[in-house]
């Protein structure tokens, strides 16, 4: 299905097809594939009885690694830089703000949790600890205050935790 023909009636099928064709790709530095990682996040959200929007956000949070699939709708490059912004951008026409904001904020949420939750950093995977420094390290107090202005910051922090926990081989 060409990306230009995407609408509310076929977006789920389109995304399912991406999972099927490309889900086995490796998740850099982690012991699970991309689809295992995203599905595990969704399962963990479901187990906690989270609202369906947050289950969907956990499932889709890394869709930005596949923005080239969305063709002209993608922000541009295929190197998947800033996959959180790119992912939110491709989902925006089809999903409500709570979902796209959780996707957009899943990297800042890691920096937020590192600044506000003692022990969170220690629970991160080695790969995730490594990328933290590339992503700017823990938030400063000013950045924390700004992050908390976002009406979806609590939801984004929950999605981030499921993201971190969804890296279990053989789950
Ligand atoms: Fe992730």
């Amino acid at each position: 299905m060409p990306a230009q023909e995407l609408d509310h009636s076929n977006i789920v099928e389109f995304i399912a097809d991406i999972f099927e064709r490309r889900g086995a790709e490796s998740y850099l530095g982690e012991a699970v594939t991309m689809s295992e990682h995203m599905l595990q996040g969704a399962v963990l959200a479901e187990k906690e009885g989270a609202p369906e929007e947050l289950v969907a956000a956990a499932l889709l949070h890394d869709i930005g690694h596949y923005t080239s699939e969305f063709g002209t709708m993608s922000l541009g490059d295929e190197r998947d830089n800033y996959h959180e912004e790119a992912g939110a951008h491709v989902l925006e026409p089809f999903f409500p703000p709570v979902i796209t904001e959780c996707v957009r904020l899943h990297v800042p949420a890691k920096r937020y949790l590192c600044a506000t939750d003692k022990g969170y950093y220690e629970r991160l995977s080695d790969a995730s600890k490594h990328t933290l420094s590339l992503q700017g390290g823990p938030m400063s107090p000013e950045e924390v205050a700004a992050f908390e202005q976002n009406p979806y910051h609590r939801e984004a922090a929950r999605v981030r935790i499921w993201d971190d926990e969804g890296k279990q081989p053989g789950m």
Side-chain angles (χ1 to χ4, degrees):
M1 176 185 332
Q4 314 78 271
E5 290 169 23
L6 286 178
D7 59 33
H8 286 88
S9 75
N10 56 26
I11 183 66
V12 170
E13 198 189 328
F14 182 82
I15 291 172
D17 179 62
I18 297 175
F19 271 74
E20 214 147 275
R21 281 184 299 105
R22 300 193 52 192
E25 289 175 15
S26 72
Y27 182 19
L28 207 63
E30 305 288 358
V32 291
T33 66
M34 283 304 298
S35 65
E36 283 171 335
H37 169 57
M38 299 205 284
L39 285 162
Q40 284 184 19
V43 166
L44 292 166
E46 219 168 45
K47 277 191 183 155
E48 259 182 50
E52 61 181 2
E53 287 85 355
L54 297 193
V55 176
L59 180 68
L60 299 174
H61 76 275
D62 272 339
I63 198 73
H65 289 300
Y66 301 102
T67 47
S68 56
E69 298 279 342
F70 290 77
T72 53
M73 294 169 58
S74 98
L75 274 184
D77 71 48
E78 309 214 343
R79 282 162 44 240
D80 295 329
N81 286 329
Y82 301 107
H83 75 282
E84 65 278 20
E85 293 286 346
H89 180 76
V90 296
L91 296 178
E92 252 157 23
F94 315 105
F95 294 92
V98 59
I99 294 181
T100 55
E101 282 299 276
C102 286
V103 172
R104 192 171 71 80
L105 295 175
H106 83 270
V107 173
K110 173 169 128 185
R111 300 184 54 231
Y112 172 75
L113 286 165
C114 282
T116 57
D117 177 353
K118 277 194 203 312
Y120 171 80
Y121 175 83
E122 285 309 317
R123 295 193 299 273
L124 288 176
S125 67
D126 290 339
S128 202
K129 282 177 180 156
H130 173 71
T131 51
L132 175 70
S133 51
L134 304 174
Q135 290 158 341
M139 282 184 171
S140 67
E142 294 73 25
E143 288 174 314
V144 165
F147 186 80
E148 288 175 347
Q149 292 301 305
N150 188 297
Y152 301 109
H153 76 276
R154 285 189 190 83
E155 288 84 351
R158 292 184 73 189
V159 168
R160 179 65 218 191
I161 303 244
W162 298 317
D163 177 1
D164 296 319
E165 291 174 347
K167 300 177 177 180
Q168 306 164 34
M171 174 179 162

